[in-house]
Amino acid sequence: MGFTREQLLAYSDTTVPDLIGPGCRLLFSGINPGLWTAATGAHFARPGNRFYPALYAAGIVDHLIDATDGMSFADRNALVDAGIGITNVAPRATAKASELTAEELREGGEALVERVQRVAPRILAVLGITAYRTAFHEPKAVPGPQERTVGETQVWVLPNPSGLNAHETTPTLAAAYRRAAEAAGISLAAPRPPGPAPA
């Protein structure tokens, strides 16, 4: 499946449902949906995004999920059965996260806290330090486990898997995500060589 720029832009400002099942132990939060995610209804669906290759390399899921054409029922079940959930800080889909206002991020942070209180995962992993600092009013926060908790939920800040984040590779993302999964009590396979990101 492919989209023209005009087709993708038609999904600006739309929202994408969370992927959260019963027994969620590790809740990943992206910054906000991209337009490809909005078009397919699948989180981290944009070609070149390294989220699913990193989950596979980390041993969190048992096969390489390709969400570029949308999320299959089997892949959704694989994530839910593994105790993995996916949400976003801000709900509004944009071409770039930089299009969000600081107010949107702060409001999104408040809504995310309420969501975490309902779901009660062991770990909330926010994927992106800059967005986290704004959303949670913590301008000096550093990546990794935070002192902040939401009820009994520990808060971690992990690297964003976007292909635009040149500071990270799939193996470094996998290592960071695996540490959070271990802390969340996720059943893990041995680390694997990363599969290619969907093109």
Side-chain angles (χ1 to χ4, degrees):
M1 181 186 297
F3 299 100
T4 65
R5 176 175 172 77
E6 290 72 22
Q7 287 172 327
L8 288 174
L9 287 173
Y11 288 92
S12 296
D13 304 327
T14 60
T15 59
V16 177
D18 294 334
L19 175 57
I20 303 174
C24 176
R25 295 188 295 279
L26 174 56
L27 179 59
F28 286 101
S29 179
I31 300 169
N32 73 308
L35 298 182
W36 198 290
T37 282
T40 60
H43 296 273
F44 301 109
R46 185 175 181 82
N49 191 290
R50 298 164 295 179
F51 181 73
Y52 299 110
L55 292 190
Y56 176 72
I60 295 172
V61 293
D62 63 5
H63 66 282
L64 182 57
I65 293 171
D66 181 354
T68 54
D69 291 339
M71 181 76 71
S72 72
F73 188 71
D75 287 342
R76 287 179 185 275
N77 282 346
L79 291 166
V80 169
D81 291 347
I84 302 300
I86 307 174
T87 186
N88 286 285
V89 174
R92 182 171 70 93
T94 61
K96 299 177 183 177
S98 59
E99 295 175 32
L100 297 171
T101 66
E103 182 180 2
E104 281 182 284
L105 288 170
R106 287 191 290 268
E107 290 177 352
E110 293 171 2
L112 179 57
V113 165
E114 294 175 359
R115 201 170 310 127
V116 169
Q117 289 171 335
R118 291 195 307 270
V119 176
R122 292 187 187 177
I123 301 287
L124 166 66
V126 179
L127 305 183
I129 185 64
T130 302
Y132 175 83
R133 288 171 176 162
T134 300
F136 287 86
H137 307 275
E138 294 192 16
K140 296 183 179 179
V142 297
Q146 306 297 302
E147 292 185 9
R148 168 191 292 270
T149 60
V150 178
E152 298 295 317
T153 300
Q154 297 178 341
V155 178
W156 289 47
V157 180
L158 300 177
N160 192 296
S162 167
L164 298 176
N165 183 3
H167 299 291
E168 301 291 340
T169 64
T170 299
T172 63
L173 292 167
Y177 296 177
R178 185 177 177 90
R179 287 192 294 273
E182 288 172 341
I186 301 292
S187 178
L188 298 169
R192 309 178 180 93

